[in-house]
Amino acid sequence: MSATEQETQAASGSARVRPPGGTAGPASSAEDAELLAALGYEQKFDRKVSLWANFALGFVYLSPLVGVVSLFATGLATAGGPAVFWIAIVGVGQFLVALVFGEVVSQFPLAGGLYQWVRRLWNGRYAWFTAWTYISCITIGITSTALYSSDFVASLFAGTAHDPGVSSTPTERLFIAIGMTVFCLVCNCFGTRTLALISKIGLAAELIGIVLVGLYLLIFERHNSVSIFFDGSSSNHDGYFGAFIAASLVGLFLFYGFEACGELAEEVPNPSRSIPRAMQLTVAVGGVAALLAFVGYALAAPDLASILAGKDSNPIPAILQGSLGTVGTKLVLMVTLTSFIAGVMSQQAAASRITFSFARDDMFPGARLFSRVSSKRRVPLNALLAVNVLPLLIFVFVYFSPDSLNKIAAFQMLAGYAAFMMVVLAALRMRLKGWRPAGAWTLGRWGFVVNVAALAYGVLGMVLLAWPTGDSGTPLVDRWIALIGFLLVSAVGLLYLLAAKPERNSTAPEGDALEVAERLRARAATTAPTTGGKRA
């Protein structure tokens, strides 16, 4: 390769790093590989996930289309039209969290995201428990997303003009969920390029399904007044305040997934700059899209009363049928199915990367097995296979207990928020010790204020997610199922942590966030004259 070709590839972020011996390594710019080496790791992945592909990955993980169609009926039956305001409330709160994450990932653009961040912000033991909590959340996320897709698959292939909203049977739900998971797993095994491509397709499908359909419903198919969004009537609660608080799940279940942008940090060119932007775009664009979809479906519902009364648990196909006809409904259901596929794939990818990162530091049982990256596809195949075992087992459990899906999802979100707040708390602790983020993207003097606000929001969100659901006649375990599930999983993780003490065997690079920040600043000052003043 000529010097000119090498310079061209380096400028485009696609130059190959050649390790000793001359064998071509994974595709990566020299600057990105050097930054990774400065953080103590060797480049093993191909950096083929562009800014837009990274944004698409987070967006389809958050998946406003999937979130809205899954929670639309629940939100309206719980608190009526005002449930839509939770999308805006939670969106603002999660944007604060995304800003904090952006500063951290900019300094530590490492595969495994949350685990790597808190290990430098606190210590190995704290990082292990954070990763345990987060992996539990994502594996359950794979499960719930695949299971929620079953009714839409059934409506796509079995729905008719007279009965477009078909609910899947337990057997159909089992086989659809297994098929969805296995299909997405196979696609993920083909590597980062395939993941990026399907994420982009999923992003396009989401935007078509939300923007075009949402605008069409708002402009041409309005059957209800906008006053429904300010009407406090609800069939499920005596007092409206309680109903509105219960409807917080509409927003809380919707806004997560932006952290997946950071899980693939070692597969993204110039990650210190592009990943914070991708996270912020995910929350902002996802929030606007979710609002548009929710409002459009609510105003176009031909039988809003039955949805508010909780009699229609799958109203989206009927709304589409009444507005778009059979052909239009089938097309939108196909778009929705594409979003489900992209969402499951992104969750699998995020879970496998954090498992890989965990194992790379010898902090995970079977570390040597799960830290391997395939030489051809540059994918942690063993980790990818492992994170899909638990979802397959849970599918069987849900088959015998069909009512357990929402309970599983409730635990999933509480665990996810807990893992988020462990990062936010660790960042605030390090700030109080004098840490000034040294990444290419920072909040400057606003960092502390945003960090405190994000922590306050997150704690409130955890309280709402742990709050008992149902009425006084609901069994005690069912009312507190999210908190009980979280405490059980946490207890198992803590017992293993205390008994095995995996942090003692860790081979992770030394240095906390303060020390790393100083090293990076010194490195930037040293390399600035030879890189045209660019920050590494």
Side-chain angles (χ1 to χ4, degrees):
M1 183 184 294
S2 68
T4 302
E5 289 173 328
Q6 290 177 340
E7 290 172 1
T8 301
Q9 283 196 355
S12 64
S14 60
R16 281 190 177 270
V17 177
R18 290 185 179 272
T23 302
S28 170
S29 72
E31 187 177 354
D32 290 336
E34 289 170 4
L35 175 57
L36 186 59
L39 293 172
Y41 295 103
E42 176 187 351
Q43 183 72 45
K44 290 189 175 183
F45 294 99
D46 286 334
R47 293 189 182 268
K48 295 181 179 178
V49 182
S50 66
L51 168 62
W52 290 109
N54 192 232
F55 159 58
L57 177 74
F59 191 88
V60 297
Y61 191 154
L62 183 147
S63 190
L65 177 59
V66 170
V68 169
V69 298
S70 300
L71 298 168
F72 177 75
T74 300
L76 286 181
T78 303
V84 71
F85 290 108
W86 276 110
I87 296 176
I89 295 170
V90 176
V92 171
Q94 287 292 61
F95 192 79
L96 296 174
V97 177
L99 293 176
V100 175
F101 281 16
E103 279 198 307
V104 180
V105 73
S106 187
Q107 180 168 319
F108 301 109
L110 299 169
L114 274 70
Y115 157 70
Q116 289 288 354
W117 305 342
V118 295
R119 189 179 66 76
R120 303 297 187 109
L121 292 169
W122 205 304
N123 58 34
R125 179 171 291 192
Y126 186 85
W128 193 97
F129 186 71
T130 302
W132 166 262
T133 304
Y134 184 64
I135 290 174
S136 300
C137 165
I138 306 182
T139 52
I140 296 299
I142 296 169
T143 306
S144 59
T145 304
L147 286 169
Y148 276 127
S149 72
S150 59
D151 283 348
F152 296 92
V153 174
S155 295
L156 175 62
F157 293 104
T160 65
H162 300 291
D163 186 16
V166 177
S167 296
S168 55
T169 66
T171 302
E172 291 172 339
R173 186 177 295 116
L174 173 65
F175 284 106
I176 290 171
I178 292 175
M180 172 75 71
T181 303
V182 172
F183 175 78
C184 293
L185 173 61
V186 171
C187 290
N188 259 319
C189 289
F190 282 98
T192 304
R193 188 184 297 276
T194 301
L195 174 64
L197 175 62
I198 293 181
S199 295
K200 291 178 182 178
I201 294 173
L203 173 63
E206 289 265 353
L207 294 179
I208 291 172
I210 290 177
V211 176
L212 294 183
V213 176
L215 286 175
Y216 176 82
L217 295 178
L218 283 172
I219 296 172
F220 299 107
E221 297 293 336
R222 287 179 53 180
H223 299 294
N224 305 300
S225 169
V226 293
S227 63
I228 64 172
F229 300 119
F230 305 93
D231 183 0
S233 61
S234 172
S235 62
N236 292 351
H237 292 78
D238 295 330
Y240 187 72
F241 179 76
F244 186 68
I245 294 298
S248 64
L249 298 181
V250 171
L252 295 171
F253 274 44
L254 180 67
F255 281 98
Y256 80 106
F258 59 88
E259 77 286 353
C261 299
E263 302 296 341
L264 277 68
E266 293 175 32
E267 298 163 72
V268 179
N270 195 13
S272 290
R273 293 185 184 277
S274 61
I275 292 178
R277 296 172 184 168
M279 288 181 172
Q280 293 157 32
L281 279 171
T282 296
V283 177
V285 178
V288 172
L291 276 172
L292 180 61
F294 195 101
V295 169
Y297 284 126
L299 294 181
D303 189 7
L304 183 63
S306 64
I307 303 174
L308 292 173
K311 297 177 181 178
D312 188 354
S313 61
N314 185 26
I316 300 297
I319 294 173
L320 294 173
Q321 178 69 32
S323 304
L324 305 177
T326 301
V327 175
T329 299
K330 297 293 185 182
L331 289 175
V332 174
L333 288 174
M334 289 179 63
V335 167
T336 305
L337 181 58
T338 303
S339 298
F340 274 108
I341 291 171
V344 172
M345 281 190 66
S346 64
Q347 290 169 330
Q348 290 174 335
S352 66
R353 270 49 169 192
I354 195 170
T355 301
F356 158 82
S357 187
F358 220 10
R360 177 172 60 178
D361 288 350
D362 290 318
M363 293 275 281
F364 196 78
R368 182 173 298 181
L369 179 67
F370 296 121
S371 62
R372 293 176 184 171
V373 175
S374 65
S375 58
K376 184 177 181 180
R377 300 293 183 181
R378 302 290 178 183
V379 174
L381 285 176
N382 294 332
L384 190 58
L385 292 170
V387 299
N388 286 280
V389 173
L390 182 61
L392 293 175
L393 295 176
I394 297 177
F395 294 152
V396 177
F397 173 77
V398 174
Y399 171 76
F400 291 103
S401 179
D403 296 332
S404 61
L405 177 55
N406 289 335
K407 301 172 185 177
I408 291 171
F411 155 75
Q412 167 198 341
M413 293 313 306
L414 181 55
Y417 266 70
F420 280 17
M421 289 309 104
M422 289 178 195
V423 177
V424 175
L425 176 62
L428 181 58
R429 170 184 176 270
M430 191 56 71
R431 288 183 197 278
L432 293 174
K433 294 178 67 175
W435 174 55
R436 291 184 300 116
W441 188 91
T442 70
L443 291 166
R445 62 181 180 178
W446 289 101
F448 182 82
V449 175
V450 171
N451 205 150
V452 172
L455 183 62
Y457 157 76
V459 171
L460 176 60
M462 289 179 63
V463 171
L464 292 176
L465 286 166
W467 205 256
T469 57
D471 53 32
S472 57
T474 305
L476 183 65
V477 172
D478 288 346
R479 297 193 67 204
W480 292 93
I481 191 64
L483 182 60
I484 291 172
F486 175 71
L487 292 177
L488 286 175
V489 170
S490 298
V492 172
L494 286 173
L495 286 174
Y496 177 85
L497 182 61
L498 295 175
K501 297 180 173 59
E503 77 281 358
R504 293 186 177 181
N505 301 320
S506 175
T507 57
E510 297 293 332
D512 64 12
L514 278 168
E515 296 167 345
V516 173
E518 293 307 314
R519 290 208 306 264
L520 292 179
R521 288 193 177 93
R523 174 179 174 273
T526 302
T527 59
T530 60
T531 58
K534 283 182 170 181
R535 293 185 64 184

